[in-house]
Amino acid sequence: MPGKKEQDKELQELQEKLSAIKRRILVLSGKGGVGKSTVSTNIAVGLSLRDNMVGLLDVDLHGPNIPNMLGLKGTQPPVTPEGAYPVVYSPTLKVMSIGFFAKDNDAIIWRGPLKHRAIQQFLSDIIWGALDYLIVDSPPGTGDEVLSIRHLLGKVDGAIIVATPQDVALADVKRSIKFCEATQTPILGIIENMSGFVCPKCGEVINIFKSGGAETLAKELNIRFLGRIPIDPKLVEAGDEGKPCVEYYPESEPAKAFFKIIEQIEEILK
Ligand SMILES: Nc1ncnc2c1ncn2[C@@H]1O[C@H](COP(=O)(O)OP(=O)(O)O)[C@@H](O)[C@H]1O
Ligand SMILES: [Mg+2]
């Protein structure tokens, strides 16, 4: 392990590398499977479609599935002696994922003390260039891994907390809020995902679980509620086929909800 002085120097170098990124957004959730990657992907693609230069960073050690969601599985980022260049998804969207470096279906095993170093190495090696937005898909929960990422990013302009409508999810939301407070991370707002179901026959949104819990909690805690994304079978398909809904199904209910959220983010961070 390097000494304190060397660690400080490395951190400073990382900050210099990230300095041409105007806005850094961290996407958080209390647990896996709530749609964190879906939200990260669609917000990143949506922002890039609105003429912003965007980077999407997938540093979810347990399920780095952004490559799948963008149809980039098996792609190799160009690695040079200066560092690794993100994969170019479109002229305005660059993507980097831990998944690009993992072999097919290999579980990536990370051990405690090495984990922080590995994340730091990964972040330090990426050459982003100038970006308007960097969207970071983090590991679920509020444990050491997310803490490392938060710390290494230096300045974070805002966190987006993704939750589902069930009551049990609200305890997770509270934990994520505490995490943001403890790490001086401004909260952009909460998104309630899988909030109601879009009927494939009539297109109407039906509430399966009780919905609105996250919105009520947001109001109580004086935190911005960014919006609800309904369950849409198209979104599963879009995720599996690498076709983000904001790009391929812009008229779908989830895409419309994402664009409303994106407009708010642009307005808050302008
Ligand atoms: N609103 C939604 N409607 C339908 N399916 C969704 C929705 N949000 C997420 N999914 C699906 O649920 C699964 C988990 O989502 P994902 O974004 O991978 O969650 P996380 O990153 O939090 O683990 C994926 O198969 C995804 O396509
Ligand atoms: Mg994920």
Side-chain angles (χ1 to χ4, degrees):
M1 285 271 178
K4 168 100 175 68
K5 244 194 181 150
E6 205 174 314
Q7 277 186 36
D8 286 350
K9 191 166 152 260
E10 284 176 6
L11 258 183
Q12 202 183 338
E13 279 169 11
L14 173 57
Q15 288 317 308
E16 273 160 28
K17 277 206 156 151
L18 297 174
S19 63
I21 299 172
K22 282 196 199 137
R23 307 166 188 90
R24 304 172 198 175
I25 297 175
L26 192 59
V27 183
L28 299 172
S29 73
K31 56 175 179 294
V34 303
K36 190 163 44 59
S37 301
T38 303
V39 166
S40 305
T41 302
N42 280 289
I43 287 180
V45 173
L47 280 166
S48 78
L49 290 172
R50 290 164 59 85
D51 275 344
N52 296 290
M53 186 57 95
V54 183
L56 175 56
L57 172 63
D58 173 14
V59 64
D60 184 345
L61 314 184
H62 305 279
N65 49 14
I66 297 273
N68 290 25
M69 291 192 167
L70 289 175
L72 298 173
K73 208 173 153 210
T75 309
Q76 292 286 316
V79 179
T80 72
E82 291 78 50
Y85 286 88
V87 170
V88 175
Y89 175 80
S90 76
T92 49
L93 179 59
K94 301 175 184 179
V95 184
M96 183 52 97
S97 167
I98 284 194
F100 288 138
F101 300 99
K103 288 215 191 84
D104 222 16
N105 295 328
D106 257 8
I108 311 173
I109 300 165
W110 305 77
R111 289 174 210 285
L114 289 180
K115 208 155 31 182
H116 182 82
R117 297 284 305 155
I119 296 171
Q120 179 163 349
Q121 185 76 56
F122 176 64
L123 295 186
S124 302
D125 280 347
I126 309 169
I127 302 170
W128 289 107
L131 295 178
D132 294 313
Y133 292 91
L134 178 69
I135 310 296
V136 184
D137 186 9
S138 52
T142 50
D144 288 348
E145 297 163 5
V146 194
L147 200 57
S148 286
I149 293 161
R150 168 66 193 89
H151 176 62
L152 292 166
L153 284 173
K155 180 184 81 107
V156 170
D157 297 277
I160 293 175
I161 299 169
V162 183
T164 51
Q166 298 90 330
D167 278 341
V168 282
L170 299 180
D172 291 331
V173 174
K174 284 185 186 153
R175 260 193 296 280
S176 297
I177 294 171
K178 281 223 175 82
F179 173 89
C180 291
E181 284 167 357
T183 56
Q184 276 101 47
T185 311
I187 300 171
L188 276 174
I190 300 174
I191 293 177
E192 187 169 277
N193 185 32
M194 309 196 191
S195 184
F197 173 73
V198 182
C199 171
K201 294 231 168 73
C202 68
E204 206 173 304
V205 178
I206 303 156
N207 288 321
I208 303 176
F209 307 114
K210 184 173 62 179
S211 69
E215 185 168 11
T216 309
L217 185 73
K219 239 185 224 138
E220 261 170 44
L221 301 176
N222 215 7
I223 287 167
R224 190 177 292 103
F225 183 70
L226 289 167
R228 304 172 49 178
I229 315 283
I231 297 175
D232 187 338
K234 266 213 195 79
L235 212 53
V236 183
E237 204 185 301
D240 289 349
E241 290 177 0
K243 294 180 175 170
C245 75
V246 289
E247 184 179 357
Y248 288 86
Y249 307 103
E251 293 305 318
S252 66
E253 288 301 322
K256 285 193 247 171
F258 278 124
F259 279 117
K260 269 194 206 148
I261 291 170
I262 289 162
E263 281 168 27
Q264 291 177 70
I265 295 171
E266 285 179 327
E267 182 60 30
I268 301 164
L269 296 181
K270 75 176 173 216

